[in-house]
Amino acid sequence: MNRTAAAKRALAVHRRLMRFGEAESIVAEPWVERGTTVRAIEAYLARLWQDQPADDDATVTETGRHHARASVLNLIVTVPDEAAAERVVETMVGLGQRHPSRAIVLAADPQAGGLPLSASITAHCHPGPEDGERVCFEVVVLTVRGEAAEHLAGIVAPLLIHDLPTHVWWPGDPPFADPIFDQLVEMGDRLIIDSSDFGDLLRGARRLANLRRRSGVGDLAWRRMGWWQELTAEFFDAPRFRRYLPNLNRLTIRYAVPAARSRRRGSRRRRDPADLGMEVSSPLAGPILYAGWIASRLNWRRHATRQPLKDGRLHLVLEGRYEMVDLLLEPVPSDELRPGDLVSVRLRVFGEAGAAEFIIERSGDEAVVASNCDGMTALLRRMPMEQPTESELLAADIVTDEHDRVYEASLRAAAVFLASAREMDAAG
Amino acid sequence: MAKVTSRGKARAKARGGAAPQAGPAEAAPPPAAPQPAAPQPRRGTGLPTTGGNPLREGLRVGRMPEPCTMVIIGATGDLAERKLAPALYNLMLSGALPPEFTVVGFARRDLTDEAFRELLRRGINRHSRNRPAKPSIWGSFSRGIEYQRGEFHDDDAWAALARRLARIDRDRGTAGNRLFYLAVPPALHGEIVRQLGAAGLAGSADARTDGRRGWSRVIVEKPFGSDLASARKLNREIREVFDEEQIYRIDHYLGKETVQNLSVFRFGNGLFEPIWNRRYIDSVQITVAETVGVEGRGESYDQTGALRDIVQNHALQLMAVFAMEPPIEFKASDLRDEKVKVLRAVKSMSPADVAEATVRGQYVSGWVEGDKVPAYREEPEVAPDSERETYVALRLSIESWRWAGVPFYLRTGKALGTRVTEIAVQFKQAPLALFARAGAPPMDPNILAIRVQPDEGILLRFGAKVPGPGLQIRGVNMDFRYGSSFAVDSPDAYETLLLDCMVGDASLFTRDDEVERAWEILEPILDAWASGEGGRLHLYPAGSWGPAAADELLEREGRSWRRP
C-alpha cells in the first residue's frame, strides 16, 4: 500500500471520528491536538473536570459535586477503517447514559506517514438515573500513524482510569494473527466482538474458544439471539412442556441471508449509512450460536453430517439424551431483514413420548409463538419483535464483566458443528 | 437480600503474570487462582426459580415466575396507579413476567375493562421510570387486564371474582396461582381477607405443596395496625384465612437496592464486618427526612403521626438490617430470624426514659424548597389544636454483645429542609490524638454513610492532610454512587418486591413477629406521650432540621446530628 493512500485513508477515518464533537451530550469544546504526546493527553484529562467547577451553592453537602464522574469501566475501541469509524461514533453516541467512564478510540495505521500521535478529547454528560444529577465521561480519540501504531499498549495504558475494568471492543473482523490484537486484548478484562463480522467464522470461533483470558468474551451476534433464547426458554418453564425436552428430535432454524438482487447492488448500497448494518460477513454466526446453545444446554453431541454446509444450508445429526436429533439450518433470502436474523425456530418431538412442536416464527414486526402438543394447537401469543440496535447490544454487554459460561459452551458447540460441516464439504 | 450479583467496581486487577498458553478448546476452564481459605459458597435455598429448565441458565431473566393472576383489591386507588401499574409494566418490559400473567382489578367503582386499562395506562405514562408505555408492550400486557366491580361486603361480588379467576385459569393457563394485593386502608383488611376465605380463594399451604392446585398469596401494605393490640388483631384475622407463609407484608424500603446492598456490603466484603461492632463504632444515626408536609392526608396523618408512619416500619427495619447478625443462609426465614433478634434486643423504655431519650415535634409554617408551607395545624382536616407529632427523634439501645453501649439515633420528620434517607455510622476516634494542636478543633470522626435515597450510594469520610506546610487535617470523602457506577437503572422497589412475591421469596417482606415486636418497642413511647410523662411537643419551622430539643438530645452525649 502506498503511503499517500494510507494517509488519505487515515484522514478519512479521523474525520469520521471527529463527529464525537457533534454529540448532543457534549459539555465543553473538543480538545484537539495534532502531533501531541501521551503526557500532554494525560495532563489534559487530569484537568478536564477541574475546569468544570463544582457548584459553590451552600446546599451542596459533603456528597459534593453536582456532576458525578461515571465510574464504570474503560472501553478501548479499535477503528480499522472509515466504515468502522462511522459505526463506532453512531453506536457510542447511542449508548447514552450507559456509557463507559472513559472511551479510548484508536485509529492506528502503521503504513501511514505523518504525525505519530494526534488526539481529540470530548467531554460528555448525561442526566443520571435519579434526581437529574449528571453523570459525565470522556471520549479520547487517538490517531496513531507509523511505527507507533505497532506499540499501542504503551500509548493506551497510561490513559486508562485505574482500578476500573477495561473492555476492548473490536468492531469488524479482528486480525487474530496480528500482534497488535494480542497486545490490546491483553490489556482488557473483556473482549467484545461481533462474530457475524468475521470473515472466516470457524477460524474466528476457534480462536475465541482458545482465548485464555482472565475475563470473558462478549459477542454481539450472541446478544442478538438473546430475545429468541428467552422466548425459547419460556416454552419449557411450564412443567407440562418441560417433559418434552429430553425427547426433542428436530431443531430447524431458518435465518435471513441477503437476497441475490441486493447482493449485486451491494456496492451502491454501501453509500447509505443506514445500510452499514446490513453488511454482514457471516450471517450464519448468530444462528449457529443459537443451535450451539440448545445443543450445549441439552447435552447434544455431534453424530453425523447429513448435508455439509452449502449456500448457508446445513444438516447435522446430533445425539440427544434419548433420541437422535436432526439439526437443520436453512437460509431465507430477504431484502428486509438483517442478514443473520432468525426467521423461525421449530423444535419438534415425534415418537413414543408423544408428538409436539414448539414454534417461534417471525411475521412482519411480530413473532408468533405457538405450540402444538399431541394434536392440540395453542397460539400462545404474538410478540412485537425486539430488534436491538448495536448501541443497545453494546450497552447490555458492558454492564457485565463476567465470563459467560453459557456462551462459551455454545461457542464450542458451534465450532464443532462448523468444523464437521466443513470437513465433509472439503471431502465432498 | 441476596440478589445483588454485580461485582464491585473496584475490582482488583492482577495485571502481569504470564498469560496461560492457549490449550485445546475442550480443555477445562482456566485453573482458579490459588486462594487459600477461599470462602465456601453457601447455596441459599430461599430463591425458588423455575427450577429444572436447563435453557434458563445464564439468560437475562433468570427466574421466571409461574403463570399467575394478580388481583388488585382497591384497584382504582392511588397505589395502583402510581406504583403497581408502572412496576408491572416495567417487569413486562424487561420480559420478567410470563405471557400468561393476568391482572384483575377489584373495586367499588363501576368501570369497564377498557376504562380500567386506561386508568393503569395513565399511571404508567405519568409515573413509570420508562414512559410512555410502548404500544407494542402495552398491547400484549393490556389484553391480560380485566376489571371486576364489587362492594367489599357483598358476598356475591366475591363469588363473581372467584368465577372469573377460575375462567382465567382455564383461558389463560394461570394454573390457579393467585396473588392478592390489598391496596385498601387497613381497616378493611380483616373483612377482605375473610371474604377471600369464604369465596374459597385463599387456598392453603398444604394444597400448594402437593401440586394439585396453584398457590395463593396475599400482599398487605403498611400500616400493620396502629398499636400492638390492633397489629395482633390484624395478624390474627389474616392468619385465620392465610398461613403465615402466604402473607407478604410489604415495606418498600426493603426493596430498595441500597438496603439490599447493605447485606452485600457487610457480608460480601472481608473489610467491614470485623469493625461492625461496639469496639469500633461510636454511634449510628438513621435519618428518614421528607420535605413534603402531609399533602392532603391530613385526616389520616392526624390519627397516625411520624412514629407510627415511619419509625414502626421503615426506620426500625433499616436498623434491623443494619444491626443483624450474619444469617446462616440468605433465605427468608433465616434473615427474618436475625432481624427479629435485633428488635427483641432493643431495650424497653420507662416513661422517664421516654422523656429523656425521645423528642417529638410538629412543624409550624416556614419555607421548604422555596415554597411557603403552612403550619401543620393549618392543614386541611387537621385538628387546630392537634398534638400529633410530625417529627420524632429517639435514642434506642440494642442490648446485645455486638451493640451494647452503642446508641442508635433515629429521626424522621415531615417538612424538613432536605429529602434524604440514610444510615450513618460514626466510628470511634483514634486512641491517641497524635495530631492535636492546642486550640485546634478536634478531628472529624470517621463516618460511613449509607445513602438510601436520593443519590443512592455509600460514602466514607476520613481525615487527610491539607497540602502545604504545617499539619492541618480536614475531612475528605470516598464516594461510591449507584448512579455512576453500574451503567444500569435500578429497578423500582415495587418491581423487586412484586417479582419476589410471585416467585415465593419472602426475604424482603416482614414477618408477623417482626411487626409485633416493633410495636412492643414503640408502645411505651406512645403511652408516655399520651399521658404527658414523655415530654412535651416541640415546634419547629418547616424547612428546618427539626426542633432544637433534638439537637440537645445528642449534644448532651457529646455528639451532633449529621447534615446529610
Side-chain angles (χ1 to χ4, degrees), chain A residues 172-186:
Chain A
D173 191 11
F176 286 113
D178 191 331
I180 291 180
F181 177 77
D182 283 335
Q183 261 183 41
L184 286 180
V185 167
E186 200 42 53

Side-chain angles (χ1 to χ4, degrees), chain A residues 249-269:
Chain A
N249 41 21
R250 183 188 288 267
L251 166 59
T252 311
I253 301 166
R254 302 174 73 226
Y255 67 100
V257 293
R261 191 165 44 85
S262 71
R263 229 187 299 178
R264 268 202 310 277
R265 282 205 216 137
S267 56
R268 209 178 313 158
R269 291 174 70 100

Side-chain angles (χ1 to χ4, degrees), chain B residues 321-341:
Chain B
V321 175
F322 173 88
M324 71 181 179
E325 299 297 315
I328 295 168
E329 276 184 39
F330 253 102
K331 63 177 192 185
S333 56
D334 288 356
L335 281 165
R336 302 197 287 186
D337 285 349
E338 296 306 335
K339 283 197 292 167
V340 83
K341 269 161 65 184

